[in-house]
């Protein structure tokens, strides 16, 4: 396609500005994590690794990290199971209400995060607490799972549509029962899509805060720990380190998920649905 | 297969129903107990009190401004990725745009807090020019929201532009259309549904957020009122009633977006 040199130049400048806008703030935090001073002033005076050591030995950070990991693994496991089931149902079977499922799955993430959080909070308080289920790790996992399902679902359904059903039919024609077909034919073709979905679900859960504040009760996940320590100037050096950790821990899964799902080099492999408040 | 359906219906749709029912309850002002009788008092309060109307208005205006800024920032890079960059560069740019999409919402807001701080890098950079950054407030909120939701605008516009055949641009050029004319009469109308698709995200995400205003501003948004009423004031009915406002706005928005053909671009 023909584009004048001037237009091309302007587009390059525009792209560069946008990329700088995206990455400069992350770079600033990265630098602050190594800041020798306790106060957050610019320019930085000197560099140190001390805060990483202090953050690592901070009991609040350790507990929160552990809670986040447990919540992420729990939510990912549920989302992986339910998302795959829903995807198989929608892509391979015809039944009443099939169109509704894909809409239902997207709803928790399409509605504002505060609504999902509120709705779950109201339910947990009104419906679950009479049964002795209090807000805590369990409700965090349930809350995260509702909006993580869509990520697994999107990846698996896209894969199922691309692969088509003929291999499974062939397997059935050759005498395999349903379970054998699933184990030997369907599952291998889905594996990388499921893994990508699981990685994204974990990243989404690990980073989520809006729904979590409504469902966590007294539990602290890592984002909630950051949120409640931002107002304490003394803690900021440790917050910086934790922030860098969170950036890395949520970007690495996304990078691998991206590599697992794309077909060609130039297509967005990760289906872009918004995070409930981040995502 | 009944598993996921049951899960979604119980955990989510059930929750939404509870939310809307809770919006019709009320808080007894003397005992601070929730009275489970049906009525529209909460909605009356929200409608009559100027404070709530102003908050709703502010939230919607900021959401619109965020959407506008994101379109302006997203279009050049989306166009460059879709039509000009070589495949290798395009793949690199895509990963660069997608990686921050999923990660570290809170960290991003925190980063901006340190940047906009009185002793932060922005004031330091502007000082030689004799200028000052916006500090914390509505401008900061707008800036941070624009930053947070930018990738959600880039991706749909990129996908939309990629589907437009290059020959259309060339044809416009051959017929004498200058670049600006081609943009206005060919590129923009064809990319419009994709832009609307992106705006669904930027709009919905802004309406539902309360963390960003808490951290970089002292003004209240719909999300703040909802959160404060659930937590501090313990007035679940009023919070539930106010939470229906973004839902109503988004449903309306989705209806309009569907008419504009945005759903094919999601």
């Amino acid at each position: 396609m023909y584009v004048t040199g001037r237009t091309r130049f302007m587009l390059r400048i525009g792209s560069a500005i946008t990329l700088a806008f995206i990455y400069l703030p992350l770079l600033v935090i990265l630098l602050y994590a190594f800041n020798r001073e306790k106060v957050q002033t610019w320019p930085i005076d000197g560099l140190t690794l001390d805060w990483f050591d202090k953050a690592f030995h901070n009991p609040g950070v350790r507990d929160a990290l552990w809670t986040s990991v447990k919540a992420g693994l729990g939510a990912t496991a549920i989302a992986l199971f339910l998302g795959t089931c829903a995807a198989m149902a929608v892509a391979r079977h015809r039944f009443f209400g099939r169109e509704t499922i894909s809409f239902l799955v997207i709803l928790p993430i399409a509605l504002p995060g505060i609504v999902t959080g509120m709705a779950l909070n109201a339910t947990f308080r009104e419906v679950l607490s009479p049964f002795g289920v209090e807000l805590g790790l369990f409700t965090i996992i349930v809350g995260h799972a509702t909006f993580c399902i869509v990520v697994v679902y999107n990846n698996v359904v896209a894969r199922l549509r691309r692969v088509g059903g003929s291999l499974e039919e062939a397997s059935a024609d050759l005498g395999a029962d349903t379970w054998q077909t699933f184990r030997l034919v369907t599952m291998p073709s889905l594996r990388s899509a499921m893994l990508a979905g699981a990685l994204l679900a974990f990243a989404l859960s690990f980073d989520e805060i809006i729904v979590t504040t409504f469902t966590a009760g007294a539990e602290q996940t890592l984002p909630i720990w950051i949120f409640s320590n931002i107002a304490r100037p003394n803690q900021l050096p440790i917050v910086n380190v934790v922030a860098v950790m969170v950036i890395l821990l949520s970007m690495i899964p996304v990078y691998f998920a991206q590599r697992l799902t794309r077909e060609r080099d130039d297509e967005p492999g990760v289906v872009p649905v918004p995070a409930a408040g981040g995502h | 297969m009944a598993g996921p359906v049951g899960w979604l219906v119980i955990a989510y749709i059930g929750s939404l129903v509870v939310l809307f029912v809770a919006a019709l309850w009320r808080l007894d002002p003397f005992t601070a107990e929730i009275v489970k009788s049906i009525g529209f008092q909460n909605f009356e309060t929200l409608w009559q009190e100027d404070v709530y109307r102003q908050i709703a208005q502010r939230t919607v205006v900021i959401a619109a401004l965020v959407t506008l800024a994101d379109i302006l920032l997203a279009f050049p890079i989306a166009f460059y990725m879709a039509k000009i960059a070589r495949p290798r560069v395009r793949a690199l740019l895509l990963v660069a745009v997608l990686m921050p999409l999923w990660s570290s919402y809170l960290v991003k807001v925190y980063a901006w807090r340190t940047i906009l701080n009185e002793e932060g890098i922005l004031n330091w950079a502007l000082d030689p020019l004799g200028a000052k950054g916006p500090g914390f407030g509505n401008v900061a909120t707008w800036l941070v929201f624009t930053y947070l939701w930018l990738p959600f605008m880039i991706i749909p516009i990129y996908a939309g532009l990629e589907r437009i055949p290059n020959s259309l641009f060339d044809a416009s050029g051959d017929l004498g259309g200058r670049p600006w004319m081609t943009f206005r009469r060919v590129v923009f109308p064809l990319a419009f549904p994709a832009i609307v698709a992106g705006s669904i995200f930027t709009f919905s995400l802004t309406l539902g957020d309360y963390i960003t205003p808490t951290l970089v501003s002292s003004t209240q948004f719909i999300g703040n009122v909802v959160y404060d009423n659930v937590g501090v004031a313990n007035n679940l009915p009023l919070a539930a009633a106010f939470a229906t406002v973004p839902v109503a706005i988004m449903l309306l928005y989705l209806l309009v977006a569907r008419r504009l053909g945005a759903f094919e671009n999601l």
Side-chain angles (χ1 to χ4, degrees), chain A residues 42-233:
Chain A
W42 194 270
I44 285 171
D45 258 352
L47 303 176
T48 177
L49 281 170
D50 282 359
W51 303 118
F52 281 84
D53 186 54
K54 289 219 169 66
F56 186 74
H57 291 291
N58 184 308
V61 174
R62 288 187 147 203
D63 287 348
L65 176 66
W66 185 225
T67 308
S68 273
V69 169
K70 280 191 287 192
L73 290 177
T76 304
I78 296 175
L80 196 57
F81 176 69
L82 296 175
T84 310
C85 284
M88 302 244 303
V90 167
R92 290 287 185 266
H93 300 274
R94 285 172 175 281
F95 56 91
F96 176 73
R98 189 173 74 152
E99 298 302 312
T100 330
I101 289 202
S102 41
F103 178 72
L104 277 181
V105 178
I106 290 171
L107 208 56
I109 219 157
L111 284 181
I114 195 129
V115 174
T116 301
M118 267 290 311
L120 289 171
N121 181 278
T123 307
F124 290 151
R125 293 214 296 199
E126 296 300 324
V127 181
L128 289 183
S129 60
F131 295 102
V133 180
E134 295 300 326
L135 296 183
L137 185 61
F138 174 74
T139 51
I140 297 178
I141 291 177
V142 173
H144 285 193
T146 55
F147 61 77
C148 283
I149 291 175
V150 65
V151 198
V152 177
Y153 170 86
N154 270 353
N155 272 291
V156 174
V157 102
R159 177 64 56 86
L160 281 168
R161 294 222 166 103
R162 206 156 53 213
V163 175
S166 49
L167 284 176
E168 284 152 28
E169 283 161 20
S171 159
D173 288 347
L174 291 169
D177 61 34
T178 316
W179 174 240
Q180 279 174 322
T181 302
F182 178 76
R183 199 163 48 90
L184 299 171
V185 179
T186 316
M187 192 61 196
S189 70
L190 289 185
R191 210 157 30 207
S192 64
M194 283 169 72
L195 184 60
L199 285 167
L200 288 175
F202 186 83
L204 204 56
S205 158
F206 198 78
D207 178 47
E208 213 288 331
I209 177 150
I210 292 192
V211 176
T212 315
T213 49
F214 284 94
T215 54
E219 285 283 347
Q220 277 203 325
T221 62
L222 211 50
I224 292 190
W225 184 89
I226 299 179
F227 187 56
S228 53
N229 281 281
I230 281 180
R232 300 180 191 160

Side-chain angles (χ1 to χ4, degrees), chain B:
Chain B
M1 297 302 171
V5 186
W7 170 272
L8 283 166
V9 169
I10 292 163
Y12 199 72
I13 300 304
S15 294
L16 284 179
V17 172
V18 172
L19 176 69
F20 291 123
V21 173
L24 300 174
W25 297 339
R26 65 193 167 84
L27 193 76
D28 190 308
F30 297 111
T31 58
E33 294 277 327
I34 292 169
V35 182
K36 292 181 182 173
S37 62
I38 303 297
F40 287 91
Q41 315 86 329
N42 298 313
F43 291 97
E44 275 165 29
T45 312
L46 291 177
W47 184 248
Q48 279 159 1
E49 300 249 346
D50 285 343
V51 192
Y52 294 124
R53 246 194 317 208
Q54 275 167 11
I55 290 170
Q57 228 167 37
R58 177 185 304 135
T59 311
V60 173
V61 168
I62 295 266
L65 291 176
V66 165
T67 304
L68 202 69
D70 273 338
I71 294 171
L72 291 178
L73 280 167
F75 207 92
I77 192 166
F79 193 87
Y80 188 78
M81 288 197 307
K83 293 297 173 195
I84 294 175
R86 275 188 295 264
R88 271 190 65 88
V89 180
R90 174 190 298 193
L92 249 148
L93 285 175
L94 259 175
V95 174
V97 170
L98 276 170
M99 282 228 298
L101 174 75
W102 292 89
S103 61
S104 324
Y105 159 87
L106 187 62
V107 171
K108 287 181 208 161
V109 187
Y110 174 60
W112 276 100
R113 224 176 114 91
T114 54
I115 290 169
L116 294 168
N117 199 348
E118 192 62 33
E119 271 99 42
I121 190 168
L122 187 65
N123 279 346
W124 172 81
L126 290 176
D127 191 50
L129 307 169
K132 244 175 109 80
F136 293 169
N138 282 339
V139 178
T141 312
W142 165 76
L143 193 65
V144 176
F145 277 141
T146 302
Y147 178 76
L148 288 170
W149 317 140
L150 180 58
F152 295 107
M153 185 61 92
I154 297 179
I155 298 302
I157 296 185
Y158 163 76
L161 285 172
E162 211 203 4
R163 276 201 292 263
I164 305 173
N166 289 346
S167 51
L168 290 180
F169 304 133
D170 292 335
S172 166
D174 291 345
L175 292 169
R178 298 180 147 273
W180 174 242
M181 176 78 111
T182 306
F183 173 78
R184 215 160 42 90
R185 304 287 290 275
V186 182
V187 182
F188 187 73
L190 286 170
F192 188 66
I195 294 175
V196 175
S199 77
I200 293 175
F201 295 140
T202 55
F203 219 82
S204 149
L205 290 166
T206 309
L207 289 185
D209 199 288
Y210 74 90
I211 303 275
T212 301
T214 314
L215 289 180
V216 299
S217 168
S218 52
T219 50
Q220 288 215 304
F221 285 71
I222 293 179
N224 299 92
V225 177
V226 172
Y227 182 72
D228 290 346
N229 275 300
V230 174
V232 187
N234 211 15
N235 189 347
L236 181 71
L238 187 72
F242 213 15
T244 57
V245 174
V247 176
I249 295 174
M250 272 329 288
L251 287 180
L252 213 74
Y253 202 90
L254 288 174
L255 280 175
V256 175
R258 191 154 81 172
R259 285 197 73 110
L260 293 171
F263 279 22
E264 287 83 51
N265 286 282
L266 280 178

